[in-house]
Amino acid sequence: KLEVVYNGADYKLFSPFANIVRSYDSRPLIGVALGEFEAKYQMLSSILSVISRVSSIIPNIKLKIVGTLRVSMLSRYPRLRGKVKVVRTVSYSKLPLVMRDASFGIIGRPNTLPWKLSIPVKFFDYIACGLPVFAFGPPRSELQFFIERFDLGVYVPSNDVNVLADKLVEFVKNLDSFDRKRILKVAK
């Protein structure tokens, strides 16, 4: 049997796990990052640096990494001890279960033409769960256009860790303003 999965995400699989009504006043803020982080283009070192800087301002921020990476990479970020959970690669059907407690999705992109012209599949997985997205990378990218056009989160046209940390603090403080029902409609 052939089943078409539009936009690279199975909306029917992910959307039942979306938490539509969220308040971030008292619960942990969990950013989720999907990918094969052995590859440098995933920008994991930038993501970890940003979360490390932000954790001193917003102590309840955490990161859930879903995919492969060398655990030794985490040892370079002592501030993140106890704030990062690594979930090894899971089957696609189990991915929504892993993402259901997330507050937002995070995507980093290198400043090269192929990444400027593409939208990663994980973006569609995030919005199919109703997650606002914090993304960064090259200016005037397709990902930036899509996020801004449909108000699906924040895109920062930079890879500067200091700029990203400031923007992530601003994004997290405004998480409740993102309409998750509308994000789900866009995903559908």
Side-chain angles (χ1 to χ4, degrees), residues 36 38 71 78 80 138 169 178:
E36 299 305 318
E38 298 294 325
V71 178
L80 293 178
V169 168
F178 289 98

Side-chain angles (χ1 to χ4, degrees), residues 6-10 14 107 119-129 146 187:
Y6 297 98
N7 293 329
D10 186 342
F14 283 82
I107 300 171
I119 297 175
V121 172
K122 67 180 126 192
F123 170 75
F124 297 106
D125 295 336
Y126 294 156
I127 65 172
C129 273
F146 202 87

Side-chain angles (χ1 to χ4, degrees), residues 14 17-24 27-34 60-66 85 87 95-106 125-127 129-133 171-172 175-176 180 183:
F14 283 82
F17 296 94
N19 189 341
I20 304 299
V21 180
R22 280 248 193 214
S23 177
Y24 297 101
R27 57 177 64 183
L29 297 161
I30 301 171
V32 65
L34 305 176
N60 65 333
I61 195 163
K62 295 181 182 269
L63 179 65
K64 184 183 283 190
I65 298 171
V66 183
K85 179 178 182 179
V87 178
L95 190 54
L97 296 169
V98 172
M99 291 174 52
R100 71 176 163 196
D101 63 344
S103 309
F104 63 94
I106 188 165
D125 295 336
Y126 294 156
I127 65 172
C129 273
L131 295 176
V133 178
F171 170 74
V172 164
L175 263 179
D176 282 336
R180 289 171 175 264
I183 291 173

